């Protein structure tokens, strides 16, 4: 037997052993996962909210990674299978998770309970603005989480869904968790109102990377002038005429601040600053995704407080 043959056999033996260990671990994971009731959530914002409600009563799997884009993130085969094994699937809906909704529908068709949070909290529709956008004017706006009062409504409804569809949970624990979190959201709303009270009426005009803050604008008395991407999704692209319309609307409104999502490239916002003669300020927000823990917006409450501070400072010149 040659040295090369012996080496090949050893390599095959090693690979076979590693494969056996991997399969055994996967089987163990599947078995242990089946023992505990499980809620699967599509976006990380809803995932954080759901974890606050569920607590230790069930496992919560969040499909969307930190700093991802809800409009474009996709699922692996393993994640898609998790949806079909869930006791309950919580998703944003209203077209937000564009690459994931078909998997949610497939899970529903197999008998999995699903809850579309956005549809249940009195959704707004996209409105045409000073820049002529968004392209989806009249269609439901999925970005309801920018209004903490609607999140409070969603919390109660998610708690109802968990109690109804997830076997073995302690209803009192779920209700207590939801009530505690509701109180924190009420405090958040009060604090946001006080913070935004520093912004003079004539400066309450928003320009963002894309149309994502319609709910916040309606709740706290802001006017949406326009967006660099004249759409409710980051998958759209602006034309030169779109940028021209937006710069004209900004000059008319006297707006010099653009709020860009921290998880997305700011190139378009920087282009807009060039169009405006360099006099436009670009301020980062966490609009559609949480960050990793400790990175500025690891929870929904942290995200909203960070955004409120950044928006207030950006609009008051602080």
């Amino acid at each position: 037997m040659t040295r090369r043959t012996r080496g090949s056999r050893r390599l095959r033996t090693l690979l076979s052993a590693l494969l056996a260990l991997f399969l055994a671990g996967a089987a163990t994971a599947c078995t242990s996962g089946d023992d505990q009731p499980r809620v699967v959530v599509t976006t990380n914002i809803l995932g954080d909210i759901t974890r606050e409600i569920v607590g230790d009563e069930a496992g919560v799997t969040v499909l969307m990674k930190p700093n991802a884009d809800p409009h474009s993130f996709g699922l692996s085969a393993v994640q898609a299978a998790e949806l079909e094994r869930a006791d309950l699937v919580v998703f944003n809906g209203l077209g937000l998770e564009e690459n994931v909704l078909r998997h949610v529908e497939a899970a529903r068709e197999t008998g999995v309970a699903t809850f579309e949070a956005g549809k249940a909290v009195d959704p707004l529709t996209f409105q045409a603005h000073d820049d002529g956008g968004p392209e989806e004017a009249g269609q439901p706006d999925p970005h309801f989480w920018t209004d903490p009062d609607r999140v409070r409504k969603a919390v109660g409804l998610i708690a109802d869904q968990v109690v109804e569809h997830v076997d073995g949970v302690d209803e009192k624990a779920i209700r207590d968790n939801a009530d505690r979190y509701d109180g924190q959201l009420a405090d958040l709303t009060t604090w946001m109102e006080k913070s935004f009270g520093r912004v003079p009426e004539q400066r309450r005009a928003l320009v963002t990377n894309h149309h994502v803050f319609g709910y916040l604008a309606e709740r706290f008395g802001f006017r949406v002038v326009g967006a660099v991407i004249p759409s409710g999704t980051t998958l759209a692209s602006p034309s030169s005429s779109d940028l021209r319309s937006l710069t004209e609307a900004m000059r008319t409104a006297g707006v010099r601040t653009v709020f860009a999502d921290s998880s997305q490239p700011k190139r378009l916002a920087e282009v807009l600053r060039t169009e405006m003669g360099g006099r436009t300020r670009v301020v980062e927000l966490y609009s559609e995704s949480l960050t990793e823990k400790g990175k500025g917006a690891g929870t929904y409450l942290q995200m909203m407080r960070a955004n409120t501070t950044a928006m207030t400072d950006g609009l008051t010149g602080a």
Side-chain angles (χ1 to χ4, degrees), residues 62-178:
V62 180
L63 301 178
M64 178 179 157
K65 303 300 182 186
N67 299 310
D69 184 340
H71 298 282
S72 61
F73 86 101
L75 302 185
S76 67
V78 171
Q79 288 177 312
E82 284 189 79
L83 280 169
E84 298 190 8
R85 291 197 301 266
D87 295 271
L88 172 67
V89 172
V90 178
F91 68 110
N92 191 95
L94 302 180
L96 181 76
E97 309 99 320
E98 299 177 46
N99 293 328
V100 177
L101 292 176
R102 61 187 175 88
H103 297 292
V104 174
E105 181 60 32
R108 182 189 295 117
E109 290 176 355
T110 66
V112 175
T114 63
F115 176 63
E116 185 175 1
K119 190 175 181 179
V121 294
D122 187 24
L124 299 175
T125 57
F126 284 116
Q127 304 295 316
H129 300 296
D130 296 2
D131 66 338
E135 296 171 351
E136 303 94 337
Q139 297 298 311
D141 182 345
H143 308 96
F144 74 89
W145 62 86
T146 64
D147 174 5
D149 285 346
R150 280 184 166 84
V151 172
R152 292 179 67 184
K153 183 174 182 179
V155 165
L157 295 172
I158 292 170
D160 290 342
Q161 293 288 316
V162 172
V163 169
E164 179 179 355
H165 297 292
V166 183
D167 292 339
V169 299
D170 182 335
E171 178 173 357
K172 184 178 184 302
I174 298 296
R175 302 294 183 192
D176 287 347
N177 289 342

Side-chain angles (χ1 to χ4, degrees), residues 28-299:
T28 301
C30 289
T31 301
S32 62
D34 290 341
D35 290 341
Q36 184 183 36
R38 182 155 300 278
V39 181
V40 175
V41 190
T42 54
T43 70
N44 54 42
I45 293 174
L46 270 180
D48 176 62
I49 293 166
T50 302
R51 281 177 172 146
E52 292 288 343
I53 299 164
V54 172
D56 297 327
E57 292 300 306
V60 177
T61 298
V62 180
L63 301 178
M64 178 179 157
K65 303 300 182 186
N67 299 310
D69 184 340
H71 298 282
S72 61
F73 86 101
L75 302 185
S76 67
V78 171
Q79 288 177 312
E82 284 189 79
L83 280 169
E84 298 190 8
R85 291 197 301 266
D87 295 271
L88 172 67
V89 172
V90 178
F91 68 110
N92 191 95
L94 302 180
L96 181 76
E97 309 99 320
E98 299 177 46
N99 293 328
V100 177
L101 292 176
R102 61 187 175 88
H103 297 292
V104 174
E105 181 60 32
R108 182 189 295 117
E109 290 176 355
T110 66
V112 175
T114 63
F115 176 63
E116 185 175 1
K119 190 175 181 179
V121 294
D122 187 24
L124 299 175
T125 57
F126 284 116
Q127 304 295 316
H129 300 296
D130 296 2
D131 66 338
E135 296 171 351
E136 303 94 337
Q139 297 298 311
D141 182 345
H143 308 96
F144 74 89
W145 62 86
T146 64
D147 174 5
D149 285 346
R150 280 184 166 84
V151 172
R152 292 179 67 184
K153 183 174 182 179
V155 165
L157 295 172
I158 292 170
D160 290 342
Q161 293 288 316
V162 172
V163 169
E164 179 179 355
H165 297 292
V166 183
D167 292 339
V169 299
D170 182 335
E171 178 173 357
K172 184 178 184 302
I174 298 296
R175 302 294 183 192
D176 287 347
N177 289 342
D179 288 345
R180 173 189 50 77
Y181 194 53
D182 180 80
Q184 294 176 349
L185 292 169
D187 291 342
L188 171 66
T189 300
T190 301
W191 179 82
M192 290 176 69
E193 288 175 336
K194 182 177 180 181
S195 298
F196 287 142
R198 294 169 42 204
V199 181
E201 185 68 29
Q202 67 273 18
R203 292 192 181 182
R204 293 189 170 214
L206 298 178
V207 174
T208 56
N209 237 34
H210 76 288
H211 287 283
V212 68
F213 286 103
Y215 288 90
L216 182 145
E218 190 229 27
R219 174 61 183 81
F220 296 102
F222 285 83
R223 181 165 60 93
V224 179
V225 172
V228 179
I229 302 175
S231 173
T233 172
T234 55
L235 302 184
S237 299
S239 65
S240 57
S241 63
D242 291 330
L243 289 174
R244 190 162 51 249
S245 296
L246 180 56
T247 55
E248 290 172 0
M250 289 178 66
R251 289 191 180 98
T252 300
V255 174
R256 296 294 179 187
T257 303
V258 177
F259 297 101
D261 191 291
S262 63
S263 68
Q264 299 166 9
K266 293 184 293 182
R267 181 180 60 83
L268 293 174
E270 297 292 351
V271 167
L272 188 60
R273 177 152 62 186
T274 301
E275 291 286 326
M276 295 287 288
R279 297 186 300 276
T280 300
R281 181 183 182 190
V282 178
V283 176
E284 290 188 4
L285 298 179
Y286 307 104
S287 62
E288 294 194 296
S289 177
L290 301 183
T291 64
E292 296 174 347
K293 300 296 182 183
K295 299 296 184 179
T299 69

